Amino acid sequence: MGDTLEFSDIYQEVKGSWNDGRLRFSKQNVVYKSSKTGKVDNIQAGELNMAQWRRVCLGHGIKLGTNSGLVYKYDGFRDTDFEKISEFFKSNYKVELTEKDMCVKGWNWGTAKFSGPLLSFEVNDSTAFEVPLSNVSQCATGKNEVTLEFHQNDDTEVSLMEVRFYVPPSQTDERQDPVEAFAENVLCKADVIQATGDAVCIFKELQCLTPRGRYDIRIYPTFLHLHGKTFDYKIPYTTVLRLFLLPHKDQRQMFFVISLDPPIKQGQTRYHFLILLFSKEEDLSLTLNMSEEDVERRFEGKLSKNMSGSLYEMVSRVMKSLVNRKITVPGNFQGHSGAQCITCSYKASSGLLYPLERGFIYVHKPPVHLRFEEISCVNFARGTTTTRSFDFEIETKQGNQYTFSSIEREEYGKLFDFVNAKKLNIKNRGFKEGMKGKIDEYSDSDDDQHDAYLERMKAEGKIREEGNDSEESDGESDESFNPGEEDDDIAEEYDSNASASDSSDDGDDSDDDGSKKKKVKKAKVVKEKKERKPRKEKKRKDTGGPKRPMSAYMLWLNASRERIKSENPGISITEISKKAGEMWRQLGKDDKEEWDIKAGEAKRQYDKAKKEYKESGAGAAAAAAAAAAATSTSSSKKESKKSGGKKEEKKRKSSGGDKEKERGGANDSFKSREFIETSEESSSDSERKSKSKRKKESDEEEEAVSTPASSEEESD
C-alpha cells in the first residue's frame, strides 16, 4: 500500500446541500478540498481519535472525530473501499475503522445525546439522525418543547426550517428544568450570535460598496458587526473564506474584500462579498479595548494595544488576526499602464479585473472570484462594438461562463502572457498549435507561441479590405445612380467641340486671343467602366405549395404558450420565448421524444404533399409565371432607360448651342478683321444649318401629333 490514498467525487454536507471535492489520506494528515468554495479541511494524524464507516444515502460514508471535539463527515465511498481504508488507518493512524449501523425504523421517539458539535437522536442505541449544532440559528423554549431554527442555504431547492423536540418532565431531578438544560446544550455549540460584552475596537463611518452605504464596524471576539443607518449585519468569523487587499488603478485608493460563505442577506439580495473602499491618505490611531496581557495572550504578538498607521492597514491587520486567514494581494502581473489590474466591463457595469497568483477577482458590481482550479478554459474574443478592445471569456468546469468585455487592446499581450504562464487552457489557440500532438499545449515559451487573437485580427482586416474593394468596384460599374456623372459628360463633350471648332476656324492665330486660358485647361481623364456582372436571379417563392413543417420545439411551444402566460401573468413576448427556451432545455428525453415523433409525422406529411404538388405540375406553372413576371419588369426598366437617355441627349445639344452663342458674343471685342469675316461666313453657315434642323424637328412634331398613341408606341 502506498503512502497516500486519494478519492475524487467525495461529498460533504453543508447546510442541506452536497458539495463535492477531493479527499486525501496521507501519513501526516487528512486533507479535504471543496470544489465549490476551495475551502480546505486539514486534520492532523495525531488529532484523530475516532473513525466510523456508515451506510448513507450516497453509498458509504466516513465519520471522523478529533481530540478537540470536532466531527467531520465525508460521503460517496464504494463498498469495496472499506478494506483498504481500514488497513491504512490501522497502519498509519493507529485508529480502527468501525462499522456503525443507522436506525431506519422511522420512529420519532428516542434519546437525544449531545456529542461535541452534534445533536444525535438515537432509537434503541442506533442513530436515527444527527443535527450539526453549528447550523442552528435560533433556539426557543416552550412548556415542554424546544424549537430549533436553522440557517438557510440558497443553493438548496428544499431547506429545513425548524425542528421541534418534545422534552418530557424529569421525575428524578426536580432542581433543573430538562427543557432549559436541553436549550443550554444547544446554545453552547450553536451558531447563535449574542452581542455580550464590549467590542474589541470600533471603526467609524467606513465606506462600503457592497452592501452600499457607510457603516460603523464593531469588532467582537467571535463576530463582526456592521451597523448602518438602515441595516445591521452580524458576520461570524467562521463564515469568512478569504481576505483580499487590492490597490485601485488610480493608486490613491485601496479595496479590502471579505469573501463570505454563507452570504449576508438583505431581503432577497445575497452579498457573498463585503467590499470596503479606503483612501491611502487616511490615517488612524487605534487603541484596543483589552489589557496588554490579554492582547499578548490572545493575538501572540500579531497586534498591540496601541497602533497607528493607514486606516486600511489597521482594518486589514485586525481582521487577519481575528479571522486567522492570510490576506491575498495581487501578484507579479502589471498591465499596459503599470497598474496591477485591468479596466473592463462585466454585465454592463464597469470595474477592475485583478489577475492573482491563484485566480481572478473582479470588483465591484457584482464581485466575482474565480480560482484557477475551477477554470476549464479561457478565450480571447474580438470586441463586439469596436476593434480597439477585446473580450476575455472564462468558462468554469461547472459550465458557467463569465465575459469581461471592453478591455483595451494594449492589455492583450500582458494578459495573454499571464494566462500562458499560469498554464491555463486557452480555447482559441490556432490550428497549427492544435496539430502539435506530443508538445505540451501549456508551453511557457514565447518563441513557438501562436498568437491566435492576433492572427484572427489580421484575417478579419483582410476580409474588410476585400469587402471595401468590391464595394468600390460595384460603385464604379453601377449606372443606376451617379449624380455627378451627367454634368461631367456634358463638360467634356463641350470642351472637345470647342477646341475642334477653334482649331478649324482660327488655325495658328487662335493662340493670341483670350481663349488661350481655356486651352490650357486639362481634359478630365475618364476611367474605363468595368463590365457589369450579371445579377443572380432570386428564387421566387412558390406561394401555392405546401407549408414547411414545424420543428419539435415549435410544436411544443404552440401547445405550451397559453400555460406559460397563465403561470406568468403580465409576461412579455420576448420573455415568453426566453422562458420557453429554459423550460425546453429542462425537459427530459422522454418528454421531448413525444414532440420529436409529432415533428417526424409532420415532416412525412409535408414530403408527401410536396411530391403530389410537383407531380400535379402546379409547381412548374408557378415557376414559369414568376419567370415571365421577372422578364416583363426588366424589359420595362430597359425601355424607360432608353427614353430617358434620348431626352437627356436633346437637352445636352440644346444647352451646348446656347453656351456657344454666349461665348462667341463675349469675345467679339477682341477679334481681328480677318477673324470677323471668317466668323461671319461661318455664322451664316451655322444659321442655315440651324434653320434646316429646326424645320426638321417641327416636321417630326407634326407627324407625331397626327400619329395615334398606339402607332407611336409601336414605332418606339
Side-chain angles (χ1 to χ4, degrees):
M1 183 177 291
D3 295 337
T4 60
L5 286 178
E6 291 193 10
F7 299 92
S8 59
D9 297 331
I10 300 299
Y11 295 87
Q12 185 182 37
E13 188 269 330
V14 179
K15 295 181 181 177
S17 67
W18 295 101
N19 293 345
D20 65 318
R22 295 183 63 87
L23 181 66
R24 183 183 67 193
F25 298 110
S26 65
K27 291 183 178 181
Q28 295 80 19
N29 54 11
V30 177
V31 179
Y32 176 81
K33 188 167 186 179
S34 173
S35 299
K36 179 188 174 186
T37 62
K39 190 176 180 180
V40 178
D41 294 338
N42 194 339
I43 311 168
Q44 297 299 320
E47 288 287 317
L48 288 174
N49 61 5
M50 182 266 292
Q52 291 181 355
W53 180 266
R54 309 185 302 175
R55 174 76 178 177
V56 291
C57 60
L58 295 176
H60 292 80
I62 289 179
K63 178 182 176 182
L64 303 177
T66 63
N67 296 327
S68 57
L70 299 176
V71 176
Y72 301 90
K73 294 187 291 184
Y74 305 107
D75 300 341
F77 295 95
R78 297 184 180 89
D79 191 13
T80 55
D81 296 332
F82 174 74
E83 293 182 2
K84 59 181 179 181
I85 295 175
S86 177
E87 186 179 347
F88 189 88
F89 273 43
K90 284 181 182 179
S91 59
N92 294 289
Y93 302 148
K94 310 302 180 192
V95 175
E96 185 178 357
L97 183 63
T98 59
E99 294 189 63
K100 180 73 173 177
D101 293 330
M102 305 292 289
C103 178
V104 292
K105 291 183 177 180
W107 291 3
N108 64 343
W109 185 267
T111 306
K113 291 185 179 180
F114 293 91
S115 56
L118 294 177
L119 167 59
S120 177
F121 188 81
E122 297 183 355
V123 178
N124 295 337
D125 296 330
S126 296
T127 302
F129 64 87
E130 293 175 336
V131 177
L133 295 177
S134 59
N135 292 354
V136 177
S137 63
Q138 195 60 257
C139 179
T141 58
K143 184 178 180 181
N144 285 323
E145 68 178 17
V146 179
T147 303
L148 305 183
E149 296 180 6
F150 300 98
H151 291 291
Q152 298 304 301
N153 190 345
D154 298 328
D155 296 333
T156 57
E157 296 181 0
V158 180
S159 297
L160 179 63
M161 300 293 293
E162 67 176 28
V163 173
R164 294 186 181 184
F165 293 94
Y166 173 77
V167 183
S170 175
Q171 301 294 334
T172 57
D173 191 0
E174 297 180 355
R175 291 174 297 178
Q176 187 178 12
D177 186 5
V179 174
E180 294 297 331
F182 191 99
E184 287 178 6
N185 287 327
V186 171
L187 289 173
C188 68
K189 296 292 184 181
D191 192 10
V192 179
I193 299 174
Q194 297 175 347
T196 57
D198 297 329
V200 175
C201 60
I202 300 175
F203 298 100
K204 294 281 189 181
E205 293 290 323
L206 296 184
Q207 183 181 356
C208 193
L209 298 181
T210 54
R212 188 176 177 184
R214 288 193 174 269
Y215 290 85
D216 293 341
I217 297 183
R218 300 174 182 176
I219 306 294
Y220 287 89
T222 58
F223 67 94
L224 179 72
H225 184 198
L226 267 70
H227 177 69
K229 293 181 179 179
T230 309
F231 299 100
D232 277 9
Y233 303 98
K234 293 177 181 178
I235 305 171
Y237 295 141
T238 54
T239 64
V240 177
L241 283 180
R242 294 175 186 85
L243 302 174
F244 302 90
L245 189 61
L246 309 170
H248 198 280
K249 194 171 185 178
D250 60 9
Q251 302 299 327
R252 292 182 295 176
Q253 300 179 95
M254 296 291 291
F255 292 110
F256 185 62
V257 184
I258 303 173
S259 176
L260 304 173
D261 185 41
I264 57 178
K265 303 176 184 179
Q266 180 178 308
Q268 296 299 320
T269 308
R270 305 291 184 265
Y271 295 104
H272 291 270
F273 293 88
L274 179 66
I275 302 180
L276 303 173
L277 182 63
F278 299 97
S279 174
K280 285 187 175 182
E281 299 174 355
E282 196 171 355
D283 296 332
L284 176 70
S285 296
L286 182 65
T287 301
L288 300 182
N289 191 18
M290 299 173 68
S291 63
E292 293 184 1
E293 292 80 9
D294 292 341
V295 172
E296 183 65 29
R297 185 182 71 254
R298 174 75 186 273
F299 302 112
E300 299 176 353
K302 296 178 183 177
L303 298 177
S304 57
K305 183 175 176 61
N306 298 308
M307 297 180 292
S308 62
S310 299
L311 179 58
Y312 73 89
E313 289 181 355
M314 295 295 101
V315 175
S316 59
R317 280 185 63 185
V318 171
M319 286 298 299
K320 179 182 177 182
S321 303
L322 288 168
V323 178
N324 197 22
R325 293 193 181 277
K326 295 180 180 179
I327 295 179
T328 304
V329 296
N332 299 324
F333 176 82
Q334 276 196 342
H336 175 71
S337 60
Q340 293 179 297
C341 57
I342 296 172
T343 304
C344 61
S345 297
Y346 176 64
K347 290 187 176 180
S349 179
S350 181
L352 299 173
L353 179 66
Y354 290 85
L356 308 174
E357 287 300 316
R358 295 185 179 181
F360 295 96
I361 186 169
Y362 172 82
V363 290
H364 78 99
K365 195 174 182 181
V368 177
H369 178 233
L370 299 168
R371 294 171 287 114
F372 289 157
E373 58 196 25
E374 64 178 331
I375 294 175
S376 171
C377 63
V378 299
N379 182 32
F380 293 88
R382 180 174 175 268
T384 54
T385 57
T386 177
T387 57
R388 295 177 180 271
S389 64
F390 67 94
D391 297 348
F392 183 57
E393 300 171 354
I394 300 177
E395 187 174 336
T396 63
K397 294 177 181 176
Q398 286 78 23
N400 300 323
Q401 185 168 338
Y402 301 86
T403 302
F404 303 97
S405 59
S406 302
I407 303 176
E408 294 179 359
R409 189 170 55 183
E410 290 77 9
E411 303 284 2
Y412 170 70
K414 300 282 186 180
L415 185 58
F416 187 90
D417 293 341
F418 175 82
V419 170
N420 199 41
K422 296 301 178 183
K423 298 183 179 179
L424 295 177
N425 184 20
I426 300 175
K427 191 175 183 179
N428 58 343
R429 287 181 184 265
F431 176 74
K432 292 180 181 178
E433 193 166 2
M435 295 298 289
K436 297 177 184 177
K438 299 180 181 179
I439 299 175
D440 185 10
E441 64 177 357
Y442 304 115
S443 175
D444 206 7
S445 173
D446 293 332
D447 299 334
D448 299 331
Q449 185 61 51
H450 177 74
D451 193 342
Y453 178 71
L454 187 60
E455 295 294 332
R456 227 162 108 189
M457 293 294 289
K458 289 180 180 178
E460 288 173 359
K462 289 180 180 178
I463 292 170
R464 281 198 298 273
E465 288 176 2
E466 291 173 0
N468 293 336
D469 293 342
S470 64
E471 287 177 5
E472 289 175 4
S473 63
D474 291 342
E476 290 171 0
S477 60
D478 192 3
E479 297 177 359
S480 61
F481 180 72
N482 197 346
E485 187 178 356
E486 294 175 1
D487 296 335
D488 293 343
D489 291 343
I490 293 168
E492 289 164 7
E493 183 183 356
Y494 172 72
D495 291 341
S496 61
N497 290 339
S499 61
S501 62
D502 290 343
S503 60
S504 60
D505 294 339
D506 300 339
D508 297 331
D509 295 335
S510 62
D511 294 333
D512 299 329
D513 60 10
S515 62
K516 184 177 180 181
K517 295 179 181 178
K518 294 179 183 176
K519 282 195 173 186
V520 175
K521 199 173 185 181
K522 291 183 179 179
K524 292 185 179 180
V525 179
V526 182
K527 294 182 180 178
E528 292 183 3
K529 295 180 181 179
K530 296 181 180 179
E531 292 184 3
R532 199 173 192 177
K533 294 180 181 179
R535 292 182 180 178
K536 293 182 179 179
E537 293 185 2
K538 293 183 179 179
K539 289 185 179 181
R540 297 282 174 175
K541 188 175 180 181
D542 190 0
T543 55
K547 292 184 178 180
R548 289 183 176 274
M550 288 189 285
S551 63
Y553 168 71
M554 292 304 298
L555 290 171
W556 173 85
L557 178 60
N558 290 340
S560 307
R561 193 186 302 276
E562 295 300 326
R563 179 168 59 86
I564 295 172
K565 286 183 180 179
S566 61
E567 292 177 356
N568 302 275
I571 191 170
S572 64
I573 296 173
T574 55
E575 290 174 351
I576 287 175
S577 59
K578 289 181 182 178
K579 186 73 176 176
E582 294 175 1
M583 294 172 66
W584 177 256
R585 285 193 293 272
Q586 292 173 1
L587 282 180
K589 290 184 179 179
D590 297 337
D591 297 332
K592 288 184 179 180
E593 188 177 356
E594 174 189 352
W595 299 101
D596 290 335
I597 293 171
K598 291 182 179 180
E601 182 63 28
K603 181 71 168 58
R604 285 192 292 273
Q605 292 178 1
Y606 167 75
D607 293 339
K608 184 179 178 182
K610 189 176 180 182
K611 186 177 180 181
E612 293 175 355
Y613 179 73
K614 285 183 177 179
E615 289 175 356
S616 64
T631 53
S632 63
T633 53
S634 62
S635 61
S636 62
K637 284 182 181 178
K638 287 180 181 178
E639 288 176 3
S640 62
K641 199 170 183 180
K642 279 183 181 180
S643 60
K646 288 180 180 179
K647 290 179 182 178
E648 291 295 330
E649 191 176 352
K650 287 181 181 180
K651 285 183 182 179
R652 284 194 208 116
K653 288 180 180 179
S654 61
S655 62
D658 295 338
K659 286 181 181 178
E660 277 186 28
K661 289 178 183 179
E662 290 175 4
R663 181 177 289 187
N667 296 332
D668 283 346
S669 58
F670 300 99
K671 293 177 181 177
S672 62
R673 182 182 299 173
E674 294 85 4
F675 182 82
I676 291 170
E677 290 175 357
T678 55
S679 64
E680 285 177 356
E681 291 175 1
S682 62
S683 64
S684 61
D685 293 338
S686 63
E687 282 178 6
R688 282 196 299 272
K689 288 179 181 178
S690 62
K691 282 180 182 179
S692 61
K693 187 177 181 181
R694 273 193 235 107
K695 189 176 181 182
K696 190 177 181 180
E697 286 178 358
S698 62
D699 294 341
E700 288 177 358
E701 286 177 2
E702 289 175 2
E703 187 179 353
V705 170
S706 60
T707 308
S710 59
S711 61
E712 189 176 2
E713 288 177 3
E714 290 172 3
S715 62
D716 287 337

